[in-house]
């Protein structure tokens, strides 16, 4: 079974979000499971059976602008993104804070989707695997059946994508590392510039468990094409 997860970021107006909600395809069968993670301002449109893009690392505290774990539980939230590269880059989130959030989610039976990936500079310096190890090391220890999205930072929103065999090798590395360190089988998705135009090519990768889609997941026509092309 493959996952197709929409990370809609902060991209749509209310009207656009409604058009998406009214027209998008949702699937949950033995071949494909779709999950839409909208901006938290539109979470009510999805009746709780959805995900959040972020969670407060603090519990039951007055933190203006944050979403508390108890609020997520009461909304029926099933998934939360942690460690997305935009939060690492623009909100200075470090692995330690990401680990706190992950632990909190696991304790409350909400599935964290851990995003990992190297920057262009790290890629060019051949530091990819070292960086991935650092991003995984402590956090996978607090996860239960880890769900991980490998997203090279240089592929996010750029239209650039690594070659299939490179993605395959990186996913193998992540799966083997998680198995070695935690004795668990990780589910590993690819993310970064996935569109209906390149997903058939990506579907030839043999060890990937699905996709985390950003930009293309804000357009129901593109999203519905992706739904029809993944997991067949
Ligand atoms: P993208 O974003 O599909 O627009 O590259 C992916 C992501 O940020 O998760």
């Amino acid at each position: 079974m493959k996952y197709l997860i929409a990370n809609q970021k902060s991209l749509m107006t209310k009207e656009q979000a409604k058009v998406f909600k009214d027209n998008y395809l949702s699937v949950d069968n033995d071949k494909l499971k779709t999950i839409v993670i909208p901006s938290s301002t539109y979470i009510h449109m999805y009746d709780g059976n959805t995900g959040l893009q972020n969670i407060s690392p603090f519990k039951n505290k007055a933190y203006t602008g944050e979403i508390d774990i108890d609020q997520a539980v009461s909304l029926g939230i099933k998934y939360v993104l942690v460690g997305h590269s935009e939060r690492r880059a623009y909100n200075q989130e470090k692995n330690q804070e990401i680990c706190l959030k992950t632990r909190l989610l696991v304790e409350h039976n909400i599935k964290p989707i851990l995003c990992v990936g190297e920057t262009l500079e790290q890629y060019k310096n051949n530091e990819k695997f070292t960086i991935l190890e650092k991003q995984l090391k402590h956090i996978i220890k607090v996860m239960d059946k880890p769900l991980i999205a490998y997203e090279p930072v240089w592929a996010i929103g750029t239209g650039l994508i690594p070659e299939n065999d490179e993605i395959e090798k990186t996913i193998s590395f992540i799966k083997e590392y998680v198995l070695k360190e935690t004795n668990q089988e990780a589910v590993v998705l690819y993310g970064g510039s996935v569109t209906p135009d390149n997903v058939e090519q990506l579907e030839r990768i043999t060890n990937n468990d699905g996709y985390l889609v950003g930009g293309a997941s804000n357009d129901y026509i593109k999203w519905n094409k992706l739904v029809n092309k993944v997991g067949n």
Side-chain angles (χ1 to χ4, degrees), residues 79-83 88 98-107 110-116 135-149 174 177-178 181-188:
Y79 300 87
V80 175
L81 293 177
V82 287
R88 291 180 195 261
I98 297 163
C99 196
L100 268 178
K101 293 181 180 191
T102 306
R103 188 190 296 273
L104 204 53
L105 290 165
V106 172
E107 283 169 4
I110 297 178
K111 188 103 192 154
I113 303 167
L114 173 64
C115 304
V116 295
Q135 293 176 336
L136 293 166
K137 196 175 165 84
H138 298 294
I139 304 179
I140 51 170
K141 301 238 161 87
V142 303
M143 292 177 97
D144 181 29
K145 300 192 195 107
L147 175 52
I148 296 168
I174 294 172
Y177 182 77
V178 174
E181 296 293 315
T182 72
N183 211 16
Q184 300 189 81
E185 294 202 5
V187 171
V188 184

Side-chain angles (χ1 to χ4, degrees), residues 26-69:
S26 155
V27 175
D28 190 355
N29 60 31
D30 57 348
K31 286 192 179 151
L32 180 67
K33 181 175 176 61
T34 60
I35 301 162
V36 174
I37 305 189
S39 157
S40 51
T41 44
Y42 309 136
I43 212 83
H44 59 282
M45 294 184 185
Y46 291 87
D47 231 3
N49 187 20
T50 176
L52 288 173
Q53 296 174 15
N54 186 34
I55 192 81
S56 169
F58 313 107
K59 189 174 156 62
N60 304 136
K61 295 223 175 111
Y63 268 89
T64 302
E66 292 284 359
I67 299 176
D68 188 86
I69 189 76

